[in-house]
């Protein structure tokens, strides 16, 4: 029998709670039941309602008071930068020059890229992240190694080869022609294979010539169901550089727009220093922003504007941006996003934060019918959160009077230690050290 039940507290979303925690946007059961069949969600709801209808002999995994959540989703992260997380830099461009380019040069070696991919995926799963939009390096081998590792684990991952044909070290430089050819080969081999997808990935406008950006635009038109993944308006020095390189364009965003790189499934990391025209243009064409708070704070890049994005209708998600970001933990990332909103004089409620990390990020990736919630038919990627993972967390949770309070404490004090188990397609893929599963 392939049907299995998981009992515990349950939380998932059907909409954006917004600033006022719309009660119709989420589903919470203190004693819930998640039914998984053939790797997909069969049903989710109150244990009292679902238990009586369970077929005799259905195995039940009892998670006690643990919170069952859809697997967390990361909308922008660099797998090669696992090797340099926590490296200092005066700002973005200095950090790239002194740390990032040096380590990325090693990823032409398939064996080395494979080794780091395994470490990277282990870290994602330990932290409860089950899907990510991933930067590789300029080397085709780095993407092949990453996809091979993800495929072995049955993960839903999106990744792409960096396109970079100027303003970078010679050993990390491709050409417009080679970049287009190799990206095309990756698309033909990997896009739609199992749970994998390819992103067309110019690093950012300054490291691609107009010819390379035009080639990326051709690929985006030809392969309309691929993703586009790049950086935008992260740092004031970067923006000034773009203005020098593309003086004919109205803005940084307009560079990408001119070359056909704004459409649905286009995800741009950061989007801090945008004006209202650019935000509306992104919203109108379906492009999305990935807010990376730990990276923005660590590199001193600036503060994302939640209110202006909402006003423009710009859809955004949250992202760790390892290795500019300083943690693989989406819980810690949500805590930092809360602080960014505070510094802006804005509000990010805990319920909205967890929406962003699950269904919200799934919507950014246009995967909301597959992942991000416990809606029937969704892929059964989910995690079990331990409210008592540390003594301090347990003490604070015991004093909370509402779900919102508990979630705020979780995203303030929680990290990978709070993720007791991670499931992929209903099968346990990671467990905190010392944990033994149980059935009833």
């Amino acid at each position: 029998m392939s049907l299995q039940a998981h009992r515990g507290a349950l939380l998932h979303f059907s909409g954006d709670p917004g600033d006022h925690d719309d009660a119709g946007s989420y589903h919470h059961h203190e004693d819930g039941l998640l039914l998984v069949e053939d790797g997909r969600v069969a049903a989710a709801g109150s244990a009292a309602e679902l238990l009586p209808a369970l077929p005799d002999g259905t195995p039940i995994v009892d998670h006690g008071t643990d919170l069952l959540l859809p697997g967390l989703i990361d909308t922008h992260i660099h797998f090669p930068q696992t090797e340099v997380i926590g490296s200092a830099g005066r700002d973005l461009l200095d950090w790239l020059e002194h740390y990032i380019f040096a380590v990325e040069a090693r990823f032409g070696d398939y064996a080395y890229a494979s080794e780091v991919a395994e470490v990277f995926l282990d870290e994602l799963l330990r932290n409860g992240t089950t899907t990510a939009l991933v930067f590789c390096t300029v080397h085709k081998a780095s993407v092949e190694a990453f996809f091979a590792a993800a495929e072995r684990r049955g993960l839903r991952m999106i990744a792409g080869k960096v396109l970079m044909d100027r303003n970078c070290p010679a050993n990390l430089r491709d050409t417009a022609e080679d970049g287009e050819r190799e990206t095309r080969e990756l698309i033909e081999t990997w896009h739609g294979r199992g749970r994998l997808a390819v992103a067309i990935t110019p690093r950012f406008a300054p490291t691609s010539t107009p010819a390379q950006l035009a080639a990326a635009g051709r690929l985006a038109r030809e392969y309309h169901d691929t993703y586009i993944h790049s950086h935008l308006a992260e740092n004031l020095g970067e923006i000034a550089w773009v203005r020098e390189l593309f003086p004919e364009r109205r803005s940084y965003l307009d560079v990408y727009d001119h070359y056909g790189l704004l459409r649905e499934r286009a995800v741009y990391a950061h989007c801090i220093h945008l004006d209202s025209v650019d935000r509306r243009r992104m919203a109108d064409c379906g492009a999305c922003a990935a807010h990376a708070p730990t990276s923005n704070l660590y590199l001193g890049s600036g503060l994302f504007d939640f209110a202006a994005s909402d006003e423009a209708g710009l859809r955004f998600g949250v992202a760790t941006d390892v290795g500019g970001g300083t943690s693989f933990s989406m819980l810690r990332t949500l805590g930092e996003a809360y602080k960014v909103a505070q510094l802006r004089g804005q509000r990010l409620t805990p319920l909205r934060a967890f929406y962003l990390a699950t269904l919200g990020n799934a919507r950014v990736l246009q995967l909301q019918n597959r992942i991000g919630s416990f809606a029937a038919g969704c892929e059964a990627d989910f995690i079990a959160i331990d409210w008592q993972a540390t003594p301090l967390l347990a003490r604070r949770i015991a004093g909370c009077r509402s779900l919102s309070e508990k979630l705020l404490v979780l995203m303030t004090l929680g990290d990978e230690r709070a993720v007791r188990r991670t499931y992929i397609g209903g099968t346990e893929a990671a467990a905190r050290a010392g944990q033994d599963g149980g059935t009833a």
Side-chain angles (χ1 to χ4, degrees):
M1 179 183 295
S2 64
L3 182 66
Q4 186 177 63
H6 292 261
R7 188 172 187 175
L10 212 69
L11 174 65
H12 71 119
F13 296 85
S14 54
D16 185 346
D19 290 341
H20 303 290
D21 290 346
D22 174 24
S25 66
Y26 65 95
H27 309 274
H28 176 237
H29 304 278
E30 284 290 352
D31 184 14
L33 204 66
L34 175 65
L35 303 184
V36 176
E37 188 168 19
D38 297 329
R40 294 183 178 271
V41 175
S46 162
E49 294 179 3
L50 293 176
L51 278 172
L54 274 187
D56 291 343
T58 301
I60 301 176
V61 180
D62 188 354
H63 295 274
T65 61
D66 284 2
L67 177 67
L68 303 183
L69 279 171
L72 306 177
I73 301 165
D74 193 336
T75 51
H76 176 69
I77 188 168
H78 297 250
F79 106 78
Q81 293 178 19
T82 304
E83 301 293 79
V84 289
I85 188 171
S87 298
R90 291 192 301 271
D91 58 21
L92 169 68
L93 301 180
D94 175 75
W95 175 77
L96 284 171
E97 180 181 352
H98 288 96
Y99 295 99
I100 303 309
F101 288 152
V103 75
E104 288 191 2
R106 302 183 63 185
F107 282 78
D109 180 342
Y110 183 92
Y112 180 72
S114 296
E115 175 192 346
V116 178
E118 296 292 347
V119 172
F120 173 84
L121 293 173
D122 282 346
E123 285 298 313
L124 287 184
L125 293 173
R126 280 196 329 111
N127 282 276
T129 299
T130 54
T131 292
L133 177 57
V134 181
F135 255 69
C136 298
T137 69
V138 73
H139 311 97
K140 184 183 176 187
S142 71
V143 190
E144 293 171 328
F146 177 78
F147 275 146
E151 185 177 49
R152 285 191 294 272
R153 298 171 185 239
L155 301 177
R156 182 166 288 287
M157 289 284 156
I158 307 161
K161 172 196 136 48
V162 169
L163 302 173
M164 192 161 59
D165 67 344
R166 68 168 171 176
N167 294 325
C168 62
N171 59 353
L172 285 175
R173 193 175 302 161
D174 60 6
T175 66
E177 295 78 12
D178 288 346
E180 181 176 7
R181 173 181 54 79
E182 290 185 342
T183 299
R184 189 181 301 277
E185 290 169 355
L186 289 165
I187 292 169
E188 296 293 342
T189 301
W190 293 101
H191 189 66
R193 177 166 155 176
R195 304 179 74 203
L196 305 175
V198 172
I200 300 160
T201 310
R203 182 177 215 109
F204 62 160
T207 49
S208 286
T209 61
Q212 185 165 76
L213 292 172
R218 284 194 297 273
L219 290 167
R221 289 189 297 274
E222 183 174 347
Y223 299 100
H224 59 87
D225 64 341
T226 57
Y227 292 83
I228 299 166
H229 187 197
S230 192
H231 300 86
L232 171 64
E234 177 179 1
N235 171 278
L236 294 176
E238 164 206 17
I239 292 169
W241 193 16
V242 171
R243 192 176 298 116
E244 292 174 6
L245 293 169
F246 300 93
E248 72 283 3
R249 303 268 61 91
R250 192 199 78 84
S251 66
Y252 194 162
L253 180 76
D254 190 46
V255 176
Y256 294 125
D257 200 359
H258 176 75
Y259 291 104
L261 294 170
L262 289 187
R263 60 158 168 77
E264 293 185 345
R265 296 198 174 198
V267 180
Y268 286 92
H270 307 299
C271 299
I272 300 171
H273 307 286
L274 297 178
D275 61 19
S276 60
V277 174
D278 283 344
R279 290 190 181 93
R280 284 195 299 271
R281 174 59 186 145
M282 289 184 72
D284 289 345
C285 68
C288 297
H291 169 42
T294 67
S295 172
N296 298 158
L297 294 171
Y298 190 70
L299 294 174
S301 298
L303 305 174
F304 184 79
D305 196 327
F306 296 89
S309 299
D310 282 336
E311 183 179 0
L314 170 59
R315 183 172 294 163
F316 59 87
V318 287
T320 63
D321 192 25
V322 166
T326 52
S327 175
F328 280 82
S329 172
M330 288 297 294
L331 298 179
R332 291 183 63 183
T333 299
L334 296 181
E336 296 304 295
Y338 178 88
K339 296 172 189 175
V340 167
Q342 290 287 91
L343 287 168
R344 274 280 189 185
Q346 298 172 7
R347 187 168 186 239
L348 176 63
T349 72
L351 279 162
R352 193 182 197 199
F354 278 86
Y355 158 79
L356 289 173
T358 55
L359 181 62
N361 275 353
R363 286 176 167 175
V364 165
L365 301 176
Q366 293 200 343
L367 291 172
Q368 64 271 23
N369 295 325
R370 299 185 181 185
I371 58 173
S373 80
F374 291 144
C378 279
E379 297 161 358
D381 295 349
F382 63 98
I383 60 176
I385 293 286
D386 177 9
W387 294 112
Q388 287 82 40
T390 68
L392 180 59
L393 181 60
R395 186 172 182 84
R396 282 292 290 114
I397 290 295
C400 290
R401 295 168 294 176
S402 68
L403 173 63
S404 182
E405 282 188 56
K406 290 173 73 174
L407 293 177
L408 181 57
V409 170
L410 179 61
M411 66 194 233
T412 302
L413 301 180
D415 52 29
E416 67 273 17
R417 292 170 295 177
V419 180
R420 193 191 299 270
R421 301 184 190 283
T422 302
Y423 292 84
I424 299 296
T427 299
E428 187 177 295
R432 196 175 64 201
Q435 298 301 315
D436 294 316
T439 57

